Structures are given as structure tokens and as C-alpha cells.
Amino acid sequence: MKKNKRKSNKWIINIILGFFCLLWIIPTLGLFVSSFRPAEDILTNGWWTLFPHKQWTTVSEIKLPKTTDLSKPIEVLGEKFSSEQLSNGIKDAAGDRLVWQDPFARLLNVQHLKWKFGTKVTLNNYDNVLNGKTYKLNMPDGTIQTQKGENLSRAFLNTFTVAVPSTVIPLIIASFAAFAFSWLKFPLRKTLFVIIISLLVVPIQVALIPIMKDYTSLGLNGTYLGVWIAHTGFGLPLATYFLFNYMSQLPKDLFESAYMDGATNYQIFTRLVIPLSVPAIASIGIFQFLWVWNDYLISLIFIGSQPNVQVLSMRIANMVGSRGNDWHLLTSAAFVSMILPLCVFFMLQKYFVRGLLGGSVKG
């Protein structure tokens, strides 16, 4: 009885998790598919038309007499319809769809429901969003517009320049700190640890103005060094706490044996602790990298919004405001910003769960 209840509970949990995964996957898939579709297709039909689907397809045309009065019922193939019905499209007795092609020319389209799938895919959207060159865009009404690209390649490099040091530096410092708090004895160890962990509850917004004043006096405002230091400071409390939980659960016998063999603290840290703590370091590294990569506020405050120093989050936010209808650029820009975090996650995912669970259970 208990086993059946556990199985039913497991199925319920799996269904709920699957539902939430589906809520995330469907719009993401739509975003991904749209980023490869021509702009004129994005503006005229949905992203799902790239997959097999039924669609009304024109198979013939009917030319009505020029004397046909559009204000009265119009006779077509022995049936009568209003001009409004033909404008919206209406089925006849044979199951075909009748719709105006050009009411002024008295020209009707006869359409059948057929299976179709989109075959047009292009990399032009990525090319246009990554460079700042001028390109021509075919609109659904047949007109041609000339637009300028976004040159996101510069913002991508800026984000990469900010994210990598802002991830590596706090990981190195937090690893040393977590090892010290876990296995070394020194005055005020517990007090310092409590102070560091208490910084987790300090809102970032409260610290921005004092830090910016200090940066201005030191000449760090608007520099990459300044934003590296800011991200390091804001990320250190969580990284230290996370790594402490993992390192403090490592077997004590390893350290005692290493000390008996004459190993120094630095040798123990580099040859024992770091190799054993790779899952935890990878896990917190993923969190730190994703946070820094998607950061908007700290980069805006400490780097600025000039085009030559803007990061991806700022540039895409500007695009949403200035190019709200240019979905061919917005979808490709979204995936340009997602590709590196996804690569980092999938490369380190084998350590992710192990790192999250490490240190959670004693004994």
C-alpha cells in the first residue's frame, strides 16, 4: 500500500515538473525557430508554420463580372455571399474557401486545406544583429525597407570581458576562505564567518551609492576593474557559504594523514581540497556566471551606457524599446545572449547536482 502511494506521489510530482518544463520549452522553442525565419515570414505567420501543418492554399481564381454590386449578395458558384464574408473568407458547399484577392478587380481566390511546412530558414537575422551594416528588408506588403544592424558583437565581447573575471576571481577567493573557515584555526574565525554570511541579506541597491562614491574618488568608475571588484564583492558571501558547506564535510582523516606526511596548508588546499571540491566549485561557478552574464543594474551603474562599453543586457533592453516590432532581430539577439550560458551549463552539468547535494547530509 505504501509503495503504491509513493509511486502515485512520484508520478504526480513528475507530471507537475513536466508541465513547468513544457511552459519554459514551448516559448523558448518558438524563439529559437523564429530566429532562423525570414523577417517577412515572422511578420505574416506564426513560428509553428515551419513544422507540418494544414493551411489554406490557393488553387484557382474566379473573375466576377465588373458590374457585380458589392453592396448586395454576390453569387459565386451557385451560392450567395456578402462582400464582408468574402473578405474574411468563407467555405462554400464543396468545402472550399472563398476569399477576396482584389475586390476592386472582382477577383476571388479558391483555396483548399492542404498540408504544408515552412522551408525558408536563414542566418541573415544573426548576421544583421551581430554587425552594424545596412541591409534591406522585404515587407509583407511588397515594399522594401532599409535598416541598420545592431552590432551586438561588440556588446558580446564586453559581456564576456566582464563575466569571466567576475566569475573566476570570487571563486578563487571564496575557495581559500571556505578552506580556512572549515579546517584552519585562527582568532575570530566564527565571528568573521558570521559577518560574511550576514552580508547575504544586504540588498545590492543599498550598497550601490556608497560604492559609486568610493569608485569616483579612486577613479574606478567606468572601468572594467571597477565592475569586476563590484561583482566579486556581491558574489563572495554566497560562494563562501556554499563552498564552506561542501569543504567542511570532507573526511577529516585526509587532512590528518596529509599533516602527518608533512604537507603544508597550501599543498593540502591545492592537491586535496580543490580536486575534491570540483563539483561544488562548478555549481557555484554556474550560478555566478549566469548572474553576471545577465546582470543589468551593476553594469549600468559602474560601466555606463555608452555604446562602446554596453553589455548584452543593456543593448537588448535598448532594442526592445527602439525595435519593438523587429522580431527577426529580437529573437536572434535573445539567442546570442543565451548561447554562451547554455554552453557553460551543459559543459558543467555533470558536476551540478553533485555540487548542490554535497554537504547537505552529514555522516
Side-chain angles (χ1 to χ4, degrees):
M1 188 70 179
K2 289 184 178 179
K3 288 183 178 180
N4 293 333
K5 188 175 182 180
R6 287 179 182 175
K7 287 183 178 179
S8 62
N9 291 337
K10 187 177 180 180
W11 273 105
I12 292 172
I13 293 173
N14 289 337
I15 291 172
I16 294 173
L17 291 176
F19 173 74
F20 283 108
C21 287
L22 198 64
L23 287 180
W24 184 87
I25 289 173
I26 290 177
T28 304
L29 178 62
L31 202 68
F32 179 73
V33 170
S34 297
S35 68
F36 290 100
R37 301 179 69 220
E40 56 269 24
D41 289 353
I42 296 176
L43 295 173
T44 54
N45 49 57
W47 60 269
W48 52 87
T49 57
L50 191 68
F51 304 100
H53 64 285
K54 281 190 173 182
Q55 181 176 318
W56 290 108
T57 305
T58 300
V59 293
S60 62
E61 297 176 353
I62 297 177
K63 179 71 174 178
L64 299 177
K66 292 184 178 180
T67 57
T68 302
D69 189 352
L70 301 184
S71 62
K72 296 180 180 179
I74 303 167
E75 185 172 347
V76 183
L77 301 177
E79 298 182 70
K80 291 186 177 181
F81 309 99
S82 67
S83 179
E84 184 180 356
Q85 288 176 319
L86 294 174
S87 297
N88 298 327
I90 188 169
K91 287 184 179 181
D92 61 10
D96 296 333
R97 185 171 182 259
L98 304 175
V99 63
W100 280 123
Q101 182 187 118
D102 186 354
F104 297 102
R106 306 304 193 265
L107 192 61
L108 280 170
N109 286 336
V110 180
Q111 298 178 335
H112 288 336
L113 198 60
K114 294 184 176 181
W115 281 99
K116 291 190 68 178
F117 63 94
T119 57
K120 293 182 180 179
V121 292
T122 179
L123 292 175
N124 290 338
N125 297 336
Y126 288 92
D127 184 39
N128 293 333
V129 83
L130 286 173
N131 65 56
K133 297 179 181 179
T134 302
Y135 63 94
K136 292 183 179 180
L137 182 63
N138 296 320
M139 302 303 292
D141 58 2
T143 60
I144 298 177
Q145 289 187 3
T146 301
Q147 296 186 359
K148 189 175 177 60
E150 278 295 323
N151 194 20
L152 276 191
S153 55
R154 178 65 182 176
F156 185 90
L157 293 175
N158 291 339
T159 310
F160 186 82
T161 304
V162 170
V164 173
S166 297
T167 302
V168 174
I169 295 173
L171 283 181
I172 293 174
I173 298 174
S175 298
F176 278 104
F179 171 68
F181 285 124
S182 299
W183 298 105
L184 301 184
K185 294 182 180 180
F186 54 89
L188 301 178
R189 183 181 67 167
K190 292 184 179 179
T191 303
L192 290 174
F193 184 73
V194 171
I195 292 173
I196 291 174
I197 301 308
S198 64
L199 294 175
L200 286 170
V201 301
V202 177
I204 293 177
Q205 294 81 357
V206 173
L208 290 179
I209 294 177
I211 293 175
M212 188 169 60
K213 287 183 178 180
D214 293 335
Y215 274 19
T216 303
S217 61
L218 295 172
L220 291 175
N221 209 21
T223 65
Y224 286 123
L225 178 60
V227 78
W228 293 343
I229 296 173
H231 278 302
T232 299
F234 292 130
L236 267 178
L238 178 60
T240 302
Y241 179 68
F242 190 91
L243 292 177
F244 170 82
N245 283 341
Y246 191 93
M247 292 181 183
S248 62
Q249 301 303 315
L250 294 175
K252 188 177 181 181
D253 296 342
L254 285 175
F255 297 92
E256 292 177 350
S257 300
Y259 283 126
M260 290 177 64
D261 291 338
T264 62
N265 288 328
Y266 182 76
Q267 290 174 329
I268 292 173
F269 175 74
T270 55
R271 298 184 184 182
L272 285 178
V273 176
I274 292 299
L276 292 172
S277 302
V278 167
I281 294 173
S283 297
I284 194 63
I286 290 173
F287 283 123
Q288 178 71 8
F289 183 83
L290 294 179
W291 174 55
V292 175
W293 185 268
N294 295 314
D295 169 68
Y296 178 89
L297 181 61
I298 295 177
S299 296
L300 177 64
I301 298 296
F302 296 119
I303 293 183
S305 58
Q306 294 300 319
N308 61 324
V309 296
Q310 276 186 331
V311 295
L312 278 171
S313 56
M314 285 189 235
R315 199 63 180 271
I316 293 175
N318 291 342
M319 286 178 62
V320 172
S322 61
R323 293 180 177 267
N325 295 322
D326 294 339
W327 289 103
H328 60 292
L329 296 181
L330 292 174
T331 53
S332 53
F335 265 89
V336 167
S337 68
M338 290 169 60
I339 187 167
L340 190 58
L342 286 174
C343 290
V344 170
F345 177 79
F346 287 121
M347 284 190 299
L348 300 177
Q349 65 171 334
K350 64 179 180 180
Y351 302 112
F352 188 65
V353 175
R354 288 166 55 193
L356 290 179
L357 296 178
S360 60
V361 179
K362 292 187 178 182

